[in-house]
Amino acid sequence: ARLMKWLGLTNQVTVKVYHGYGHPEQIMVYGHVLRLSPLPRKKYHKSFLRNTLALLRLFMVRPLEGVSMELEWENKVYHSTSDKDGFFRFTWKDEPPLPKGWSEVLVKAKINENIITQSKGYIYIPYDTQYGFISDIDDTFLISHSSNLRKRLFVLFTENARSRKPFEGVVEHYQLLSHGNTTPDA
């Protein structure tokens, strides 16, 4: 147990719910159910050893297959099952009008109808006036040196989510894009 804590791992079943999204034709939420996973990081240091350990922890996972998954949203319940990689997916069509903006969902993992764990997630339904932008992170708004393996590995092992730097002006650029073609009340 001490080693697990020192490594920043937990062997408690965990549900990781990724941000979902939707529109009138389809709503989607994805996630993983894991029996071994990293604990959320509480401190960020600019230390090669700590950042390397944090990176390695992301690969120290054990999925949980065949778990019944249940999602609650807008007073409705949807069902799914985790696959061999612990991955689950909910997709459904709901009746308009859909609530615009962020909505909370609750995802439960169940074995023999008993809830073993649950986690909150969020679905984003865009306003009718908004554009959608899909972008990766590396060398789009965070400096990563993707074309130079030596520099890329240096950033990977020495930086973390808090210390990596964005390109100058990119934060404001994406903020302006997110408000594009909207009204102040939206």
Side-chain angles (χ1 to χ4, degrees):
R2 281 185 174 167
L3 178 61
M4 292 283 286
K5 187 172 180 163
W6 184 82
L7 288 172
L9 299 171
T10 180
N11 57 4
Q12 299 290 316
V13 176
T14 305
V15 172
K16 305 281 186 188
V17 184
Y18 308 125
H19 288 324
Y21 56 94
H23 51 82
E25 295 304 313
Q26 190 170 12
I27 302 172
M28 293 166 259
V29 175
Y30 300 92
H32 276 100
V33 58
L34 305 167
R35 59 184 167 90
L36 175 71
S37 63
L39 292 165
R41 209 165 163 185
K42 293 179 182 171
K43 295 180 181 176
Y44 290 85
H45 301 279
K46 199 166 184 175
S47 158
F48 177 81
L49 183 60
R50 287 180 189 244
N51 285 327
T52 301
L53 181 59
L55 179 66
L56 293 174
R57 285 182 331 128
L58 296 176
F59 295 96
M60 295 179 190
V61 297
R62 296 288 179 268
L64 199 54
E65 176 183 5
V67 175
S68 296
M69 304 302 294
E70 200 173 87
L71 179 141
E72 295 176 13
W73 184 67
E74 295 287 301
N75 299 317
K76 295 177 187 159
V77 177
Y78 301 93
H79 299 276
S80 183
T81 304
S82 64
D83 68 13
K84 66 182 177 77
D85 296 321
F87 188 75
F88 60 85
R89 175 180 66 195
F90 293 95
T91 57
W92 70 97
K93 180 177 179 174
D94 210 330
E95 295 300 317
L98 300 178
K100 305 298 184 197
W102 290 101
S103 296
E104 187 175 278
V105 296
L106 182 64
V107 178
K108 299 175 183 177
K110 299 172 93 175
I111 295 180
N112 299 325
E113 293 302 311
N114 295 316
I115 299 170
I116 55 174
T117 190
Q118 62 186 29
S119 185
K120 291 180 184 176
Y122 297 91
I123 298 173
Y124 186 73
I125 309 291
Y127 293 89
D128 295 333
T129 59
Q130 284 186 296
Y131 296 107
F133 296 92
I134 300 172
S135 173
D136 70 344
I137 294 171
D138 293 326
D139 284 336
T140 302
F141 59 88
L142 286 180
I143 300 169
S144 303
H145 306 290
S146 294
S147 62
N148 184 316
L149 181 60
R150 186 179 55 77
K151 286 183 177 180
R152 173 74 181 131
L153 289 173
F154 180 77
V155 168
L156 187 65
F157 288 111
T158 61
E159 302 289 337
N160 59 57
R162 307 271 185 205
S163 65
R164 290 180 66 189
K165 302 289 183 232
F167 288 105
E168 187 177 335
V170 78
V171 174
E172 295 81 10
H173 174 75
Y174 274 85
Q175 287 172 341
L176 289 170
L177 287 175
S178 73
H179 293 103
N181 204 30
T182 62
T183 58
D185 59 319

